[in-house]
Amino acid sequence: MFKIGITGGIGCGKSTVLDVFAKLGVPCFEADAVAARYYDNPLFCQEVARLLDSPQVLTPQGLIDKRIVASIVFSNPDKLQQLNRLIHPRVLSDFEHFASSSSAPYVLFESAILFEYGFDSLMDRTVCVYLDVEERIRRLMIRDNTSRNQILARMHNQLPSEQLLQRADYVILNYEGNPRQRQVSMLHHALLSQASSFPNS
C-alpha cells in the first residue's frame, strides 16, 4: 500500500484539504481524531491519569477533562512525551489495519506531528499544508475562543512551518482564494501515477 503522510501546523486547515482528498475517493486516516476516540474508554482514561500522576484530569464520569490534560502537557514537555508514547503505538497499529484493509491506490495518514515523532519514516511520500503563522493564530483565536499566548504554547510543541516546508515532498498552500481544489487535484493525479508503479501496489 502506497502511504502518504500529510501534516501542517495547527490551524493551517488540514481538515479542509483532507475533505477535498476524501471527495476524490482517497481513504483518509486522521490520527488526532482516532486518538481522541481512545478517551471514550474509561480504562484508557485511568491509564492517562496514572501516567500524568494527576487524578483531577478525570471527570465524575471517569473520562478525561481534555482542557486540564492540555494545560498539563503543553507546559511540561516530559509529560507530553510520556502521553505520546502511550498513544502513538495504538494510533500506528490502527493505521496499519486501516491501510491494509483498503483497496485504494493510496491512503493518507494525517498527523500534526508527522515529522516530530518520526511517522514520516513510515510513509512513501509526505505533504505539508501551509499557512503563515499570523493567519493561523487569527483563525484559531476565532475558532477555539482562546488567547494568543495559549495558541503560541501549542505551536511551540510543533516544528515551525518553514521546517515542514523543507522536509515535505509536496506543499499545498491553503490561503483563502487560492485554488485549493486544483492543487489537490494535481497532487492526486501525481500520487496515482506513482502508486501505480509502486512495488507493493
Side-chain angles (χ1 to χ4, degrees), residues 13-199:
K14 292 187 299 296
S15 296
T16 305
V17 171
L18 282 183
D19 286 344
V20 181
F21 275 107
K23 288 174 182 175
L24 294 171
V26 180
C28 300
F29 182 94
E30 298 181 61
D32 288 347
V34 170
R37 291 199 289 272
Y38 301 155
Y39 291 98
D40 294 332
N41 183 333
L43 292 177
F44 178 81
C45 293
Q46 291 171 20
E47 196 171 352
V48 171
R50 286 194 298 271
L51 178 77
L52 299 178
D53 192 24
S54 182
Q56 69 266 27
V57 302
L58 293 175
T59 68
Q61 294 75 33
L63 299 179
I64 286 291
D65 186 320
K66 294 179 184 177
R67 285 184 178 270
I68 295 179
V69 168
S71 69
I72 293 172
V73 300
F74 287 124
S75 61
N76 188 326
D78 288 339
K79 292 294 185 183
L80 179 60
Q81 290 277 4
Q82 292 174 37
L83 183 61
N84 285 333
R85 283 196 292 269
L86 177 67
I87 294 174
H88 292 167
R90 289 173 165 86
V91 171
L92 291 176
S93 177
D94 286 343
F95 173 65
E96 289 302 326
H97 177 73
F98 175 87
S100 63
S101 301
S102 174
S103 59
Y106 72 92
V107 296
L108 282 177
F109 175 87
E110 177 275 324
S111 173
I113 50 176
L114 184 75
F115 292 106
E116 288 88 333
Y117 289 92
F119 296 152
D120 59 301
S121 65
L122 305 174
M123 303 295 139
D124 300 294
R125 300 288 184 275
T126 56
V127 180
C128 170
V129 179
Y130 179 81
L131 188 65
D132 72 76
V133 171
E134 287 303 320
E135 179 61 14
R136 287 160 52 201
I137 291 172
R138 186 189 70 80
R139 291 184 182 185
L140 288 167
M141 289 178 68
I142 295 171
R143 188 192 76 183
D144 297 345
N145 190 29
T146 190
S147 72
R148 181 185 182 89
N149 285 339
Q150 288 173 314
I151 294 167
L152 289 172
R154 293 159 70 185
M155 287 182 170
H156 181 70
N157 291 292
Q158 298 180 347
L159 286 175
S161 294
E162 290 69 25
Q163 289 191 37
L164 299 181
L165 286 174
Q166 292 172 4
R167 297 179 65 171
D169 297 308
Y170 299 98
V171 175
I172 292 174
L173 301 176
N174 200 25
Y175 292 96
E176 291 298 328
N178 217 43
R180 181 189 307 117
Q181 184 101 21
R182 188 173 70 186
Q183 292 181 77
V184 172
S185 179
M186 291 174 65
L187 178 54
H188 175 60
H189 288 294
L191 294 173
L192 285 176
S193 176
Q194 294 174 51
S196 67
S197 58
F198 188 63

